[in-house]
Amino acid sequence: MKHTFPSTPRALSAPLGLLAAAALLAALPVHAQKYGIHSPVSPAQRATAQQVAEKGVPLSALAPNAPDQYTVKRGDTLWGISSLFLKSPWRWPELWGMNLQDIRNPHLIYPGQQLYLERNGDRAILRMRGKGDGETGDTVHVSPRTRVDMLGTGPLPALPAHLIEPFLTEPLVVDDDTFERAPRVVAQANQSRVIMAKGDRIYARGPQDAPLLMGPGRPRDFRVFRTATPLKDPITGEILGYEGQYVGRAALMRGESKVEVEEPGAGSPGAAAAQPAAGDNNPAPGQDSEEARTLPVPATLDLVGSKEEIQVGDRLIPEPPRDFRSYVPHAPDMPVDARVVLVHGSAVRFAGQNHIVVINKGLRDGIENGHVLALLSAGPQIVDKTDGARSRIKLPDERNGLVMVFRPFDRVSYALVMQSANESQVGDKLTNPK
């Protein structure tokens, strides 16, 4: 789905850093409120972007076979085009003349647009022509558009959509208490079945002090998760968070309530419906068998999606708002010393290109979308056979590839392995690219 809003077209031929500032400035009143993107570009920030745009990158930073021009195609990614022009794809913002400190949401590149590499002395910069979306031309006509889902037919995604899309919506990393206090599935409408799937009705209860209720400001849409898996720091052993296994989605139809029922023998028409479970022939302590008592009634939810069969005991977490992710590859501006915590995949121990890994650094460490990190394989410990004492030595860590962060949480982040010379595993090191 995508939304558009009209704007007077502007013909621009300036460096794309200025295009980014102009387009972003026009679009931000809508984006900023709805998607949490930074405030409008100020005149000072625009001047900074222009200054950077006039600089570009040294010719020595260009890839050996960098083309003079390139027409963007459907299926391209920002990383792929970065690699086409640059030896170090994380220097992409410099080539476009974009100041990341001031402009977090960069230009949007569309299929059909033409990219031109201009060399001036010992520097180079990219410019763009064409309307995009299959059209070409001599100038860029910018009509700002709000794109809800960047992984569709709109502007290029930074990474291959089919690899990261499940991880943009499904994984959840929280502390243990969040899962413990999350509402739990207690039963389903069809008591003859053990498992539940899309289209089924389920019942759930929250903790006593936070029942699952309906009302203004309360969530109506939920994700369903299975037992959380601890994510341990491979160096310290500290638990950095718990990753829930996503199994489906549910919509709240009725909140929790209470009902007064009469015990069998009280003569109430509803007594038969309140029969105790088999073997439970004793009334509650201090309660006569013919007295009425109050029982909790769980909330009612309908399953609107399922990835796996949903079971009693699964947990419900409110559906978060969909983020508007627009980011480009760039190097962190602070030192990073991270480790691989987890390699994603069923029974997967080693990670290669296009695998997803979890690292032990997150938002509180300054990690953000688009950060590119160098992946190092730990040098093994061996016996020095040339030493008469046969002492043990450790070989140096070796550069093994690159990863790009696409979803950071508080203490961990998800990253896609972009390049890999050899397989990586839990405990391997990540540092700033050079």
Side-chain angles (χ1 to χ4, degrees), residues 183-340:
R184 62 195 183 279
V185 177
V186 297
Q188 64 171 312
N190 188 347
Q191 293 293 307
S192 64
R193 298 179 58 186
V194 177
I195 59 177
M196 297 152 267
K198 181 180 179 180
D200 288 340
R201 172 156 285 188
I202 62 173
Y203 304 113
R205 297 180 65 190
Q208 288 188 351
D209 61 344
L212 190 54
L213 302 175
M214 297 184 68
R218 292 181 177 273
R220 294 285 302 273
D221 299 314
F222 293 84
R223 296 182 190 175
V224 188
F225 289 90
R226 189 125 316 141
T227 305
T229 301
L231 298 174
K232 292 185 178 180
D233 190 301
I235 304 301
T236 66
E238 179 186 7
I239 295 179
L240 304 173
Y242 291 81
E243 181 187 65
Q245 177 188 351
Y246 170 84
V247 291
R249 293 182 296 116
L252 181 63
M253 309 305 294
R254 289 191 298 268
E256 290 187 58
S257 60
K258 294 183 179 180
V259 64
E260 190 175 86
V261 298
E262 293 184 1
E263 292 295 328
S268 168
Q275 289 286 349
D280 185 11
N281 297 320
N282 299 319
Q287 187 175 20
D288 188 87
S289 62
E290 294 188 357
E291 290 182 353
R293 65 172 176 171
T294 300
L295 294 179
V297 178
T300 301
L301 300 98
D302 287 340
L303 293 176
V304 296
S306 59
K307 182 180 180 182
E308 298 182 18
E309 297 87 353
I310 292 159
Q311 305 171 4
V312 169
D314 288 345
R315 300 285 176 161
L316 303 175
I317 303 292
E319 182 83 31
R322 183 64 183 269
D323 292 338
F324 182 81
R325 291 180 172 88
S326 178
Y327 49 92
V328 294
H330 60 286
D333 56 5
M334 74 290 182
V336 174
D337 183 6
R339 296 294 186 278
V340 175

Side-chain angles (χ1 to χ4, degrees), residues 383-402:
V383 174
D384 183 359
K385 297 180 181 179
T386 67
D387 182 4
R390 301 186 68 82
S391 58
R392 295 190 64 81
I393 59 174
K394 181 186 177 304
L395 299 184
D397 297 340
E398 291 291 347
R399 167 78 171 267
N400 188 28
L402 295 170

Side-chain angles (χ1 to χ4, degrees), residues 124-191:
I125 193 169
L126 269 183
R127 299 180 188 270
M128 181 171 65
R129 298 178 188 171
K131 300 178 182 179
D133 290 334
E135 301 180 39
T136 59
D138 294 330
T139 58
V140 179
H141 296 277
V142 178
S143 297
R145 286 170 284 185
T146 303
R147 300 290 177 129
V148 173
D149 188 354
M150 289 188 62
L151 299 178
T153 58
L156 299 187
L159 302 171
H162 69 285
L163 296 177
I164 67 172
E165 172 64 9
F167 292 88
L168 295 178
T169 57
E170 295 179 4
L172 178 73
V173 178
V174 296
D175 55 54
D176 189 36
D177 186 61
T178 298
F179 272 104
E180 286 297 319
R181 290 184 53 79
R184 62 195 183 279
V185 177
V186 297
Q188 64 171 312
N190 188 347
Q191 293 293 307

Side-chain angles (χ1 to χ4, degrees), residues 339-360:
R339 296 294 186 278
V340 175
V341 172
L342 177 70
V343 176
H344 256 282
S346 178
V348 174
R349 178 183 174 187
F350 298 100
Q353 186 169 340
N354 294 335
H355 278 94
I356 306 292
V357 297
V358 180
I359 68 173
N360 65 345

